[in-house]
Amino acid sequence: MAAQTEDHRRSFMVGGAEMPARPLPPALYLVATPIGNLGDVTLRALETLAAADVLACEDTRVTRVLLSRYGIRQKPVAYHEHNAAEAGPKLVAALAEGRSVALVSDAGTPLVSDPGFRLVEAARQADIAVVPIPGPSAALAALTASGLPSDAFFFAGFLPVKAGQRASRLGELKAVPGTLIFYESPRRLADALAAMAEALGDRPAAVCRELTKTFEEFRTGTLAELAQHYAQAGAPKGEVVVCVAPPGAGESTDAADVDRLLLSLAAEMGASKAAAEAARLTGGRKPDLYRRLLELKGDG
Ligand code: SAM
């Protein structure tokens, strides 16, 4: 595992001034980095990046941009979902030898829809200290500026790509008593918003795009309005977060929702399995739902 050499001067530059980076106690440091605006980095994050014996990152090219902006001389090593099985044990071994390891992802907070969970789990199992260095995350930036309730929220990450699995997942999330936060690909945004409107009801929502960047944008409306907008306007450029208001904020929870759920599940699986899944998601009785599905399909 590559590490800093003895002659490596541990420092970083802020506003033209060179700041010394003090030695770090051995631990795994989870360092949050900017989600677009390179100014959004904490002094503690910079000091940790400069001082760590080993700096592990998803994509060394991406992280070098940040390092170079702040004059940090480091040789980052790769740790990403494709090499985690091989790179993870090497990082744990470096930690076990008493070295400090900093982990960053391409942007935002590591482990938040990004690699790192297995490494933290392994470090904890080996009794190695794990230290968060908090900072930006697109989820919280979106939530706080969305205008939706922020007292309780649920981070749902990326939805499944397949329509049936997406409908099931949304069915599970329907009763969550807080604002829902999703990461979504711009290409799938219009479809995902339409699926949310169908499964959750037509709740108020916000599409938060290009956070902290030049073309930052917040578009608010109901899920159906937003779905229609993006179906017409096409996939937006850049990165997006979708925030959806909690239940009770405008959605209908009538039998039509259950019918739609049954039909979308039946498109992906047999009638009996669809009825069982709908029963699990809605709390209804499987025999009733099975009968209703047959009626809807004209077989009942
Ligand atoms: N770990 C990151 C974090 O803490 O936010 C998230 C990484 S995840 C692989 C990438 C997703 O985060 C994007 O697809 C998008 O949904 C969201 N995202 C990241 N940066 C963003 C930004 N500047 N504006 C809007 N969404 C962003």
Side-chain angles (χ1 to χ4, degrees):
M1 180 67 46
Q4 293 205 12
T5 53
E6 285 313 311
D7 61 348
H8 188 128
R9 187 120 185 267
R10 298 176 186 221
S11 65
F12 59 99
M13 302 287 296
V14 177
E18 184 171 10
M19 319 285 286
R22 291 158 297 181
L24 281 176
L28 171 60
Y29 296 85
L30 308 171
V31 184
T33 58
I35 56 169
N37 186 326
L38 288 188
D40 293 334
V41 66
T42 67
L43 291 172
R44 190 164 169 236
L46 293 175
E47 186 170 9
T48 306
L49 295 179
D53 295 323
V54 180
L55 171 56
C57 59
E58 262 191 291
D59 183 335
T60 53
R61 288 162 307 179
V62 172
T63 299
R64 276 202 192 100
V65 175
L66 180 69
L67 298 177
S68 128
R69 161 78 184 263
Y70 290 101
I72 296 173
R73 285 153 295 176
Q74 270 280 19
K75 285 200 187 105
V77 298
Y79 176 80
H80 44 71
E81 57 178 317
H82 304 296
N83 79 345
E86 194 188 315
K90 288 187 191 163
L91 293 173
V92 175
L95 288 160
E97 283 166 14
R99 301 218 231 148
S100 55
V101 174
L103 176 72
V104 297
S105 59
D106 281 352
T109 300
L111 281 84
V112 177
S113 290
D114 265 337
F117 168 65
R118 294 282 168 222
L119 187 59
V120 171
E121 190 182 40
R124 289 231 167 265
Q125 274 166 9
D127 260 340
I128 289 161
V130 180
V131 180
I133 310 288
S137 185
L140 286 185
L143 173 73
T144 51
S146 67
L148 298 174
S150 55
D151 54 337
F153 57 88
F154 184 92
F155 174 65
F158 288 96
L159 282 169
V161 175
K162 289 193 177 158
Q165 290 172 6
R166 183 170 61 193
S168 292
R169 179 72 181 128
L170 286 167
E172 289 169 352
L173 297 172
K174 183 169 181 165
V176 170
T179 293
L180 298 172
I181 306 172
F182 299 94
Y183 286 167
E184 192 48 273
S185 128
R187 261 181 316 116
R188 288 192 285 271
L189 180 63
D191 274 1
L193 288 164
M196 288 176 197
E198 189 168 317
L200 304 174
D202 196 13
R203 301 182 191 179
V207 173
C208 312
R209 189 173 74 84
E210 291 291 86
L211 294 162
T212 76
K213 303 186 202 175
T214 311
F215 297 106
E216 181 175 78
E217 178 191 44
F218 296 89
R219 184 172 288 277
T220 56
T222 70
L223 284 167
E225 286 163 357
L226 291 167
Q228 192 183 11
H229 169 81
Y230 288 105
Q232 278 165 4
K237 289 204 170 71
E239 297 183 288
V240 293
V241 179
V242 179
C243 298
V244 182
E251 90 282 28
S252 64
T253 51
D254 56 16
D257 286 338
V258 178
D259 288 355
R260 277 192 289 270
L261 177 66
L262 276 170
L263 287 171
S264 76
L265 289 168
E268 303 287 321
M269 54 190 88
S272 171
K273 215 167 157 201
E277 183 66 2
R280 188 179 71 78
L281 295 173
T282 63
R285 289 183 63 244
K286 182 184 166 191
D288 297 342
L289 291 163
Y290 183 72
R291 229 183 343 267
R292 178 64 187 149
L293 178 56
L294 295 188
E295 274 171 26
L296 289 170
K297 291 168 74 179
D299 304 340

